[in-house]
Amino acid sequence: MASSSRKDRLQRIVECAETYFGRPLDRVSAPGGDGRSSFRLHFADGDVIATLRPNFRRTHLEAHVLQRLGEFSDDLPRCLGVVDDIMFQSDVGDRRLNMEIVRHDGKGQLDLAAEAVAGIFRIQSAARKTDLGQVMPPLGANDDWVDNFISAVDALQPYSGGISSKFDRVAAAQAVSVTGGQFVKWDCRSGNAALDRTGKLRWFDFEYAGLRHGAEDFAWLIGDEAWPLEPDVMADVMIDAFDPGTGHRIDDYLEYLSVYLTFHCVQRFKLIVKEAQKRGWLSRDRVRKYDDAGVHPEFAAQICKVGRYYSAQSPVTAPLTRNFDAAMSVFLDILRDGETRKSA
């Protein structure tokens, strides 16, 4: 039944695309796998991305965002049109950042990281030139969302002992309870950016865009467990690229980023553990190829390393540093054990 449903969905996209663009398709591919919402449509004169999401409203919201931002920024796809619940957008390239970043080392990785961060700042700057700050929905704007975000730290306990009594949950909740009017793309994991043939990097997948502080977008990138750069290196990248147009002082901005990113790392940690229990560990290549959750002990250790570094940057989250440190040791041991068995 599921296979038949995917086939029907794809046939609908093909018929709609050929009618809308007035020419036949050569073939269709699924860059993120058959279960994803987007397909690459290969025409004789170039490729187009077609997106059919389960949520009609999100499709139209994403199209509106691309159209408004596209007036001021070239750091995202161009919306080519919407037909009912199918959106067509320009193809930003098949060299996904999560794959491209590991093909480089040293300066090459640093350059890509700097461009990724600069691109997010430019997108947010473009949004400030539009009415998106007045029409987009607020994100994480209610007490229940904040409470769940903070209380997730309990997931660290089985891997690190209890949470310190010095950790003030009320203060933490207050620290992330911002009422922001800044546009955020959301979900800025490295699998949601790509480079074209000229090397231009663009961000895509704006279906969850909304309004918050602004630093959350960078938390998604730095707190991407498959992102290979060290957290202190990314801190320097943020300082170098910082845009005063955000309306925040840089020290206040980085303080908020550190606190928010700490709890974002907990969310990624929870997801990795849950998926590992359900599916077992996956290969690093599979995770990157399908932009999957980082269900590999190296990625689990990486998210703990990021959480350890950023939690130590603020007195609000410093009591959690030892929890991240202990949890990281657990996954490094699992990683070493796996490598030892392979070499035996």
Side-chain angles (χ1 to χ4, degrees), residues 168-278:
D168 187 338
R169 296 177 188 239
V170 174
Q174 290 174 343
V176 301
S177 296
V178 299
T179 303
Q182 171 62 59
F183 174 88
V184 287
K185 174 193 175 295
W186 212 250
D187 199 3
C188 286
R189 291 172 301 125
S190 55
N192 285 332
L195 287 78
D196 65 15
R197 293 175 183 175
T198 71
K200 168 67 178 176
L201 186 149
R202 292 181 177 87
W203 287 96
F204 59 88
D205 195 354
F206 285 73
E207 75 166 307
Y208 295 112
L211 303 176
R212 217 169 192 277
H213 177 280
E216 294 85 359
D217 280 348
F218 303 101
W220 276 98
L221 176 61
I222 302 169
D224 175 356
E225 60 273 11
W227 188 244
L229 280 84
E230 294 292 317
D232 59 328
V233 172
M234 290 305 299
D236 289 339
V237 170
M238 286 296 302
I239 291 170
D240 289 343
F242 181 71
D243 178 6
T246 61
H248 298 278
R249 288 163 40 106
I250 188 170
D251 51 346
D252 293 337
Y253 194 95
L254 295 178
E255 166 76 10
Y256 174 81
L257 174 64
S258 294
V259 174
Y260 185 89
L261 181 48
T262 297
F263 298 107
H264 180 83
C265 288
V266 174
Q267 295 294 325
R268 298 306 298 177
F269 175 85
K270 280 183 61 178
L271 177 62
I272 292 168
V273 170
K274 176 184 175 182
E275 292 298 310
Q277 291 171 344
K278 183 168 65 175

Side-chain angles (χ1 to χ4, degrees), residues 33-62:
D34 289 338
R36 297 296 178 91
S37 300
S38 293
F39 293 87
R40 179 172 278 116
L41 311 181
H42 302 270
F43 291 98
D45 58 349
D47 298 342
V48 170
I49 300 297
T51 302
L52 174 57
R53 302 195 187 282
N55 189 309
F56 177 92
R57 179 181 174 277
R58 286 196 182 279
T59 298
H60 283 259
L61 184 68
E62 182 174 20

Side-chain angles (χ1 to χ4, degrees), residues 69 72 120-134 181-183 213-214 243-248 253:
L69 291 177
F72 302 98
I120 295 171
F121 273 125
R122 288 195 297 267
I123 288 170
Q124 293 185 353
S125 176
R128 291 194 291 272
K129 299 173 184 176
T130 73
D131 62 349
L132 292 176
Q134 288 74 53
Q182 171 62 59
F183 174 88
H213 177 280
D243 178 6
T246 61
H248 298 278
Y253 194 95

Side-chain angles (χ1 to χ4, degrees), residues 19-31:
T19 299
Y20 185 78
F21 291 102
R23 56 190 190 274
L25 272 168
D26 286 349
R27 62 188 178 91
V28 180
S29 60

Side-chain angles (χ1 to χ4, degrees), residues 65-144:
V65 166
L66 295 183
Q67 289 165 345
R68 297 295 286 125
L69 291 177
E71 298 174 32
F72 302 98
S73 176
D74 187 36
D75 295 291
L76 63 157
R78 287 179 293 110
C79 178
L80 303 177
V82 181
V83 180
D84 295 328
D85 52 354
I86 300 174
M87 180 180 70
F88 299 109
Q89 58 186 300
S90 61
D91 186 357
V92 297
D94 57 4
R95 296 161 55 197
R96 286 201 179 203
L97 179 59
N98 64 337
M99 301 285 286
E100 195 70 17
I101 192 75
V102 294
R103 296 190 181 107
H104 295 75
D105 51 28
K107 185 177 184 301
Q109 287 193 346
L110 192 59
D111 288 346
L112 281 173
E115 181 53 29
V117 168
I120 295 171
F121 273 125
R122 288 195 297 267
I123 288 170
Q124 293 185 353
S125 176
R128 291 194 291 272
K129 299 173 184 176
T130 73
D131 62 349
L132 292 176
Q134 288 74 53
V135 302
M136 295 298 291
L139 302 176
N142 61 70
D143 291 341
D144 286 343

